[in-house]
Amino acid sequence: MANKKSGKVLVLGGGITGVQAALDLAALGYYVYLVEKKASIGGVMAQLDKTFPTNDCSI
Amino acid sequence: MEAGRSPNIEIITLAELKELSGKPGNFKAKIHVKPRYVDPNKCTSCGMCMTYCPKEVVDEYNERLTFTKAARIDYAQAVPTVYYLDEKECLRLQHESCQLCANVCGPNAIFFDQQPEERELHVGAVVLALGFGRVPEEVLEKYGYGKYPDVLTSLELERMTCASGPTEGEVLRPSDFTHPQRIAFLQCVGSRDVTCGNGYCSSVCCMYAMKEASVVKEHLPEAEIDLFFMDIRTQGKGFDEAFNRAVEKYGFRTIYARVPRVDQVGRKLALTYVTEDGRTHRDFYDMVVLSVGLDAPAGAEELAKRLGVELNHYGFAQTKVATPLETNVPGIFVAGAFQGPKDIPESVVQAQGVAAKCSELLAEVRGQDAVHKEFPPEDEELEREEARIGVFVCHCGVNIAGVVDVKEVARYAATLPGVVYTEDVLYSCSQDTLNELVKKIKENRLNRVVIAACSPRTHEPLFQETLREAGLNPALIEMANIRDQCAWVHAEDPEAATQKAKDQVRMAVAKAKRLTPLELQKVSVTPSALVIGGGAAGLQAALSVAEQGFEVYLVEKEAELGGNLRRVTGLLSGEDPQKILKDLITKVEEHPRIKVFTGTTVENVSGYVGNFTSTLRKEEGSEVINHGVVILATGGREHRPDRYGLGANERVITQLDLEAELKGKAGKLARARSVVMIQCVGSRGDDLNYCSKLCCQQAVKNALRIKKRYPKKDVYILFRDMRTYGFSEDAYREARNSGVIFLRYKPEAKPELVQKGKAQFVKVYDALLGEELLIPADLLVLSVGIAPGENEELSKVIKAPLTGDGFFLEAHVKLMPVELPVEGVYVCGLAHGPKPLDETLAQARAAAAKAAIPLAKGFVEVAPIVSRVDQKKCIGCGICAELCPFGAIEMVKVGKRKKAQTITASCKGCGICASHCPVLAISMGGFTDEAILAQIEAFGAFVEKELEKEKAGEEAA
Amino acid sequence: MSFEPKILSFFCHWCCYAAADSAGVARYQYPPNNRVIRVMCTGRIDPRFILEAFYVGADGVLVGG
């Protein structure tokens, strides 16, 4: 294991950026550790009621 | 937000990175994981622990506006959907005094003795997506926050307007719980403010303020809302339009003023401010909302130090224009707000871009550590037998059973035709019950399953997987939602809820009888990409796809590569744009997997995701290529309007012309003593309806370059709103400090060009002086904006719609910013909309990531909900093909007649085709006419029963 | 006895069905008069379905999308 390249990626931060990066990396064939310091992922976006300009629900 | 289900994403919450060693491709990361005190494998998220937890705690998720419990989940849709104990607040963990939660927890998921854990992970790359932090409260105190209860932050208001928030969507003054009549939004709180150390613009507040104001107005139509701006910075794609629409619709007042402080006078909040005409105003409001900016993320500094990652002077990750996703440490990448304040679409773009970046680095080991699940073969014989339906009715702890008589529902289900097995289960989704389910299916030879539990939206995939484990086709399950849409919403009427549950179960059983196995279709993919456009975006996208290991055809219509970037001669960051371009071109031209076609146009694109065929037309003939995906990077062009004598008057040039001057001898510039720049010429409502996003930065950049080379020359910038968002605000400030004069003009009083003898002047109204000024303009530089390229032709060829402004329309403005509604086609750069170079390069990588997904997989998997045309019945009318919003039906020749045919790979299963087919030739997987009609018929039984009841009631009376 | 309409609802998987789930998560209470059929898009709804619903005795049909 010491010298072999790893096909895993560590993503720090479980907000919309981290989640999206994790999803795309997984879809591209990599194993992802999504590390978040809070108890759930989602970040600030999960706190938003609606989003500009389409006022779509954010969750 | 559905990352929870991928087998290749391991979510580690309550965790932090402690140490990182190694090199790109081969890092060792030490992670510290704090205990959750709840076993995620056992927790069924029933919420009993939270209900019984006696310890109230201030709710941070709701911006401290309400209370929650020490045992909690932050919000109902949280992922992972597992409760946790707040270590700092829990009575048991702090004082050893309570264990109510453990007593009431049905599945015994609570463990007070859980210990922190250290994990060592072996990874190839690291992505820092730390987000943003909060502006310190001291900064907000200046505006009365904390002192006057009716001064709120924007995020507090956000929670308040949320229907599931602390006030259930009511906008109330915290001081007296009345509805505010007059509300003020103060922009740039904690942004564009050197006194608090945040000199940058947070780039998102103008938009969210407008959104919040609009939402408030929906709640309180009577409210009067004023918004105080320094500049209105709605530079994103379509944002200006949305902003103006909102102002018009809701009658907001927008005021250019920076409010320095807020005072409380009686029950009102007083704002004193000076407008640009120099007048002082004092107005009273019932509520003041602070549009708080984005700070650098908390803890980033310490983490950066540990990793050796460089931060900029504001504490965000330091990146370059050429490499917006890379930190100074190889193998450690950055994306999102931590790279600089940005909104959701920009964050998503960077997230996708950073995925491409990792994928380039790790291309050789792609798939090596990915997990694949194997399933036993399907028992086709059993599937063909007459329906043997098993019904499983879930208690969901007390969530369903507390209201609905679950046993009665199960008893009732057993009487329904086709049902051979029924059972009520405590938690249908827990792992051991799922294992039991597999056993029961096999033992009882079930070939259709009905789960009466929660929502198929969240749980159907789980049960489908279970069916596959049991050797059944995943399409043979139907769910009856007796929790979210029954027990939870009819809690006060158990009898009616039980009746509804029975009816939904009967309808589900009726549908289940008519379910048929559906094949998960796989279509193989040609592992190559066609990139159209050889500018910065196309070059970067091509390079990224090629680096990820796939063949690329890069097509440029001009004779040489480079596009618009060829004309840019300087960047605010000090990087040389020509070097960036040259590096890209060299890498592309030398890349073994990229084939460059210059002087070539794309004539015809046919096919669908995974299998496109295109004709490339060159002067000397054409060539047909096969490819799996398409990336549109067709760019835009400088808008050269017929205004201010541009083209005729040689002392009137554009910013791009000026870039050439600044690079070369600067003849015109050298002769001019006074240079005037006018922003938004032809933009934001004239020839172009939109803001071109980069002109303000470009003007400031060029003004600074002039000042550097010719300190004595006067430079004026006449603008509507200076949109130097993000860190380019620093350059704006620098320009002001170095003597560049900025003057705001109003769209209704545009600057005019005046000739007096040989001299040339610009006449403009100055609000502060209250009079018209005549400014010498020996050289007039117009910021002319970016017009769309010739997208129309291509849009028709690819069947991808354009926006009203002529740029390609993305599939979802927020979450799918580089995907088009047509699958397998992606967009980046100016073809998507005007944007500066760093954003173009990030977006090019994002498009490359999305494009590489089907290529990496090697096949496209199609959910079996797609439509199917019975060509014997089809009369070839073509209504379906015309109506399909995804271009997923084509008309093909079968024998002598035209027939419709579904392009399975593009179909989304919406069923518009099926509902419009005049001869009922189209059926939808899982949603056939027969199945839906059976459901309707089963609904009819409910009606009959009700009628009987009524009759009985009447007779009794 | 007052009139209690019997309603058949067709909900779009992506929006209205999701909203009905959210109503549950938020524990909103509403009258138990409706029964729900989930479709992937309200575009799937053939006018025949609505007629059929009335035919079998629905007092109202709610299309939520």
Side-chain angles (χ1 to χ4, degrees):
Chain A
M1 145 159 175
N3 285 314
K4 206 168 142 225
K5 260 197 185 184
S6 164
K8 300 182 179 184
V9 177
L10 171 62
V11 176
L12 280 184
I16 177 64
T17 306
V19 169
Q20 183 67 50
L23 285 170
D24 287 327
L25 280 163
L28 282 164
Y30 301 93
Y31 189 89
V32 183
Y33 298 106
L34 182 58
V35 171
E36 162 63 41
K37 65 177 183 218
K38 292 204 176 151
S40 58
I41 59 172
V44 182
M45 190 167 165
Q47 276 181 288
L48 305 184
D49 179 38
K50 300 198 167 61
T51 57
F52 182 88
T54 48
N55 282 3
D56 279 357
C57 176
S58 69
I59 290 181
Chain B
M1 287 280 142
E2 266 111 52
R5 285 206 47 80
S6 169
N8 283 306
I9 301 176
E10 186 176 334
I11 299 173
I12 310 175
T13 51
L14 296 165
E16 276 178 303
L17 175 63
K18 283 287 164 213
E19 243 181 84
L20 188 75
S21 58
K23 56 179 198 305
N26 209 339
F27 287 112
K28 237 186 234 162
K30 280 207 177 115
I31 305 285
H32 178 83
V33 189
K34 284 196 270 181
R36 190 176 193 101
Y37 305 105
V38 177
D39 182 344
N41 295 323
K42 292 192 171 167
C43 176
T44 56
S45 54
C46 68
M48 292 295 277
C49 51
M50 189 166 168
T51 310
Y52 281 90
C53 176
K55 172 73 178 174
E56 292 221 316
V57 185
V58 172
D59 186 355
E60 299 285 341
Y61 170 74
N62 275 311
E63 291 297 309
R64 314 178 64 88
L65 290 171
T66 181
F67 294 95
T68 180
K69 300 288 188 65
R72 65 168 175 266
I73 192 159
D74 287 333
Y75 52 104
Q77 305 91 331
V79 176
T81 321
V82 174
Y83 283 66
Y84 69 100
L85 305 188
D86 184 339
E87 197 173 50
K88 286 197 206 90
E89 301 288 350
C90 172
L91 294 173
R92 170 77 182 196
L93 294 169
Q94 289 297 326
H95 312 291
E96 294 266 316
S97 65
C98 160
Q99 51 171 25
L100 267 177
C101 56
N103 290 346
V104 296
C105 179
N108 292 324
I110 295 178
F111 297 90
F112 295 112
D113 55 356
Q114 255 185 22
Q115 294 301 313
E117 196 190 336
E118 304 289 335
R119 287 186 61 181
E120 196 175 277
L121 311 175
H122 180 216
V123 294
V126 178
V127 175
L128 303 180
L130 306 180
F132 56 88
R134 292 181 171 233
V135 171
E137 276 189 23
E138 299 94 82
V139 179
L140 312 184
E141 281 164 13
K142 187 158 93 174
Y143 302 94
Y145 181 78
K147 197 160 142 204
Y148 311 132
D150 300 331
V151 178
L152 301 182
T153 65
S154 40
L155 212 46
E156 287 172 346
L157 181 65
E158 190 82 46
R159 292 315 304 152
M160 223 182 227
T161 55
C162 179
S164 57
T167 59
E168 296 182 345
E170 273 209 76
V171 180
L172 299 171
R173 276 161 48 102
S175 66
D176 55 8
F177 301 109
T178 58
H179 295 297
Q181 283 306 305
R182 288 198 74 192
I183 304 171
F185 280 79
L186 308 191
Q187 298 306 108
C188 305
V189 173
S191 309
R192 300 182 71 184
D193 181 358
V194 276
T195 65
C196 74
N198 290 356
Y200 55 86
C201 160
S202 291
S203 306
V204 300
C205 324
C206 286
M207 274 71 71
Y208 78 58
M210 183 48 62
K211 174 200 71 177
E212 289 188 3
S214 304
V215 172
V216 168
K217 197 77 179 163
E218 293 283 337
H219 287 266
L220 302 172
E222 305 290 305
E224 278 174 57
I225 301 179
D226 296 349
L227 299 106
F228 291 86
F229 293 95
M230 293 172 73
D231 290 283
I232 296 172
R233 291 188 169 171
T234 46
Q235 59 274 329
K237 185 178 178 183
F239 289 1
D240 249 351
E241 213 184 325
F243 186 95
N244 294 336
R245 221 170 28 230
V247 169
E248 201 174 304
K249 180 171 173 196
Y250 298 111
F252 298 132
R253 208 155 63 107
T254 56
I255 301 158
Y256 285 108
R258 179 153 204 162
V259 180
R261 54 176 294 158
V262 180
D263 300 294
Q264 175 121 28
V265 178
R267 297 180 56 238
K268 304 258 177 195
L269 296 163
L271 303 187
T272 312
Y273 58 92
V274 181
T275 41
E276 291 192 328
D277 54 9
R279 289 203 195 115
T280 306
H281 303 256
R282 190 167 164 86
D283 278 322
F284 295 93
Y285 294 90
D286 301 310
M287 180 184 272
V288 169
V289 182
L290 306 179
S291 292
V292 183
L294 314 186
D295 217 321
E301 207 180 325
E302 196 208 335
L303 180 67
K305 207 177 278 170
R306 247 180 287 150
L307 303 179
V309 165
E310 247 175 64
L311 302 181
N312 72 8
H313 57 290
Y314 293 124
F316 291 85
Q318 178 75 51
T319 56
K320 294 191 181 128
V321 172
T323 52
L325 306 169
E326 292 167 48
T327 69
N328 56 307
V329 183
I332 301 184
F333 306 119
V334 61
F338 180 44
Q339 190 261 347
K342 58 178 60 65
D343 60 7
I344 296 166
E346 292 294 334
S347 298
V348 170
V349 163
Q350 286 207 336
Q352 300 176 334
V354 90
K357 191 70 214 167
C358 296
S359 181
E360 290 167 37
L361 174 69
L362 305 173
E364 56 187 285
V365 287
R366 177 176 48 234
Q368 169 190 285
D369 294 295
V371 181
H372 300 284
K373 224 174 159 175
E374 299 284 336
F375 297 100
E378 283 177 26
D379 186 344
E380 289 175 23
E381 199 183 314
L382 175 62
E383 286 171 354
R384 269 195 298 272
E385 279 179 34
E386 207 180 317
R388 295 178 55 80
I389 306 172
V391 181
F392 297 83
V393 188
C394 182
H395 289 243
C396 195
V398 293
N399 279 292
I400 296 171
V403 179
V404 171
D405 186 343
V406 174
K407 292 210 181 285
E408 168 62 22
V409 174
R411 266 196 301 276
Y412 171 72
T415 66
L416 295 169
V419 176
V420 297
Y421 183 83
T422 53
E423 190 185 338
D424 57 296
V425 291
L426 197 52
Y427 289 105
S428 56
C429 61
S430 68
Q431 196 50 54
D432 39 325
T433 311
L434 291 176
N435 298 340
E436 277 296 299
L437 188 60
V438 172
K439 240 165 72 190
K440 299 275 161 61
I441 290 173
K442 287 185 175 159
E443 278 171 17
N444 298 288
R445 302 191 72 247
L446 304 178
N447 58 12
R448 306 285 186 278
V449 175
V450 170
I451 307 274
C454 47
S455 173
R457 281 177 53 254
T458 51
H459 281 72
E460 198 174 50
L462 182 71
F463 293 117
Q464 285 177 333
E465 209 171 284
T466 309
L467 254 64
R468 290 180 75 182
E469 281 164 23
L472 282 182
N473 185 285
L476 297 176
I477 180 205
E478 179 66 16
M479 288 186 74
N481 188 339
I482 61 167
R483 188 182 74 171
D484 307 44
Q485 296 185 15
C486 186
W488 277 353
V489 290
H490 308 309
E492 276 134 48
D493 195 345
E495 200 181 314
T498 303
Q499 187 54 50
K500 182 170 176 178
K502 284 185 190 173
D503 293 336
Q504 294 285 174
V505 167
R506 182 179 63 250
M507 289 160 71
V509 167
K511 181 174 176 185
K513 257 177 100 170
R514 285 154 187 89
L515 290 175
T516 49
L518 296 170
E519 209 177 322
L520 204 63
Q521 306 204 28
K522 279 186 183 182
V523 184
S524 72
V525 166
T526 312
S528 60
L530 168 66
V531 179
I532 308 177
L539 289 165
Q540 178 67 82
L543 199 56
S544 177
V545 174
E547 281 290 299
Q548 291 182 64
F550 308 103
E551 302 290 321
V552 179
Y553 305 97
L554 177 62
V555 177
E556 167 59 48
K557 66 171 189 266
E558 287 186 37
E560 68 172 297
L561 296 170
N564 291 309
L565 186 53
R566 284 174 298 175
R567 295 179 65 194
V568 180
T569 59
L571 290 172
L572 273 176
S573 67
E575 290 161 72
D576 178 3
Q578 291 311 309
K579 187 179 172 299
I580 295 175
L581 182 58
K582 218 179 127 216
D583 283 355
L584 275 174
I585 293 178
T586 313
K587 281 185 195 157
V588 162
E589 284 178 339
E590 287 173 359
H591 205 289
R593 282 189 287 272
I594 303 179
K595 216 170 158 196
V596 178
F597 298 80
T598 47
T600 307
T601 53
V602 178
E603 208 154 65
N604 189 18
V605 181
S606 62
Y608 49 88
V609 58
N611 295 281
F612 288 104
T613 303
S614 301
T615 313
L616 307 183
R617 164 83 51 198
K618 267 186 115 146
E619 220 170 90
E620 57 272 21
S622 61
E623 187 175 335
V624 174
I625 56 162
N626 294 317
H627 51 100
V629 290
V630 186
I631 296 177
L632 304 178
T634 48
R637 60 185 168 80
E638 183 186 38
H639 176 56
R640 290 190 80 91
D642 195 9
R643 291 169 191 269
Y644 297 101
L646 180 64
N649 179 343
E650 65 162 25
R651 285 186 295 174
V652 179
I653 62 174
T654 66
Q655 291 286 359
L656 274 179
D657 298 334
L658 179 60
E659 298 254 355
E661 287 266 318
L662 282 162
K663 176 83 178 180
K665 285 204 310 264
K668 288 178 190 174
L669 183 58
R671 283 194 296 278
R673 267 196 311 190
S674 173
V675 180
V676 177
M677 298 179 181
I678 305 179
Q679 300 303 104
C680 300
V681 174
S683 291
R684 295 184 65 189
D686 288 336
D687 321 330
L688 308 178
N689 208 19
Y690 50 88
C691 162
S692 287
K693 207 174 184 185
L694 55 74
C695 327
C696 283
Q697 290 180 35
Q698 193 180 24
V700 164
K701 171 189 79 180
N702 287 343
L704 281 169
R705 290 167 80 191
I706 294 173
K707 277 288 182 187
K708 200 168 170 199
R709 191 155 159 189
Y710 306 104
K712 294 224 171 95
K713 289 194 197 295
D714 293 327
V715 182
Y716 298 85
I717 297 183
L718 313 183
F719 66 95
R720 284 176 58 184
D721 292 285
M722 275 316 285
R723 294 183 161 176
T724 44
Y725 58 96
F727 301 125
S728 63
E729 181 73 8
D730 282 351
Y732 179 31
R733 199 174 316 106
E734 189 189 338
R736 277 182 178 278
N737 292 341
S738 60
V740 177
I741 296 165
F742 289 83
L743 268 180
R744 189 191 308 277
Y745 72 85
K746 290 211 162 105
E748 58 273 18
K750 295 207 171 71
E752 285 169 39
L753 184 63
V754 179
Q755 306 284 351
K756 285 195 176 170
K758 277 190 175 173
Q760 181 168 284
F761 297 87
V762 168
K763 192 167 82 178
V764 66
Y765 180 78
D766 180 56
L768 187 58
L769 297 175
E771 60 186 53
E772 286 197 324
L773 296 182
L774 220 46
I775 305 169
D778 307 327
L779 186 62
L780 177 61
V781 184
L782 307 179
S783 290
V784 286
I786 295 165
E790 292 140 20
N791 294 336
E792 270 157 51
E793 193 74 10
L794 201 54
S795 144
K796 274 182 211 144
V797 168
I798 290 181
K799 293 196 192 94
L802 299 179
T803 64
D805 296 325
F807 297 98
F808 282 99
L809 177 68
E810 56 272 48
H812 188 285
V813 178
K814 294 251 167 287
L815 300 177
M816 299 162 93
V818 299
E819 287 153 272
L820 295 185
V822 184
E823 243 181 294
V825 187
Y826 313 89
V827 65
C828 59
L830 303 186
H832 161 271
K835 58 181 68 66
L837 181 58
D838 51 342
E839 291 173 29
T840 288
L841 294 176
Q843 201 183 22
R845 276 218 161 84
K850 282 293 172 190
I853 289 173
L855 305 183
K857 257 198 184 143
F859 59 86
V860 187
E861 217 169 61
V862 187
I865 49 169
V866 295
S867 78
R868 207 156 314 179
V869 183
D870 181 347
Q871 293 194 334
K872 272 191 219 115
K873 285 193 195 165
C874 176
I875 51 170
C877 69
I879 291 176
C880 52
E882 197 158 306
L883 287 174
C884 177
F886 307 102
I889 294 192
E890 55 187 348
M891 300 304 293
V892 292
K893 261 213 157 132
V894 177
K896 279 189 181 165
R897 306 186 116 180
K898 275 204 154 179
K899 299 278 181 186
Q901 185 172 304
T902 307
I903 304 167
T904 316
S906 306
C907 177
K908 299 267 178 238
C910 73
I912 289 175
C913 51
S915 63
H916 285 79
C917 178
V919 290
L920 313 179
I922 301 179
S923 74
M924 303 303 302
F927 293 86
T928 56
D929 282 2
E930 297 73 39
I932 295 176
L933 287 168
Q935 272 177 297
I936 298 172
E937 200 187 321
F939 164 82
F942 152 62
V943 175
E944 271 166 35
K945 193 169 277 165
E946 287 288 302
L947 284 175
E948 268 168 37
K949 244 201 280 177
E950 263 171 50
K951 223 184 209 165
E954 270 163 33
E955 276 165 17
Chain C
M1 195 167 158
S2 64
F3 171 61
E4 286 291 338
K6 291 159 281 290
I7 302 164
L8 181 59
S9 308
F10 292 95
F11 286 170
C12 162
H13 173 89
W14 304 105
C15 49
C16 203
Y17 197 90
D21 283 350
S22 298
V25 172
R27 304 296 198 276
Y28 285 145
Q29 301 298 308
Y30 55 83
N33 301 38
N34 75 323
R35 302 294 180 261
V36 179
I37 292 180
R38 180 175 66 108
V39 286
M40 292 311 288
C41 167
T42 46
R44 172 71 187 93
I45 299 164
D46 192 313
R48 286 183 300 142
F49 298 167
I50 295 171
L51 295 176
E52 183 68 22
F54 285 123
Y55 178 73
V56 299
D59 296 308
V61 173
L62 171 61
V63 175

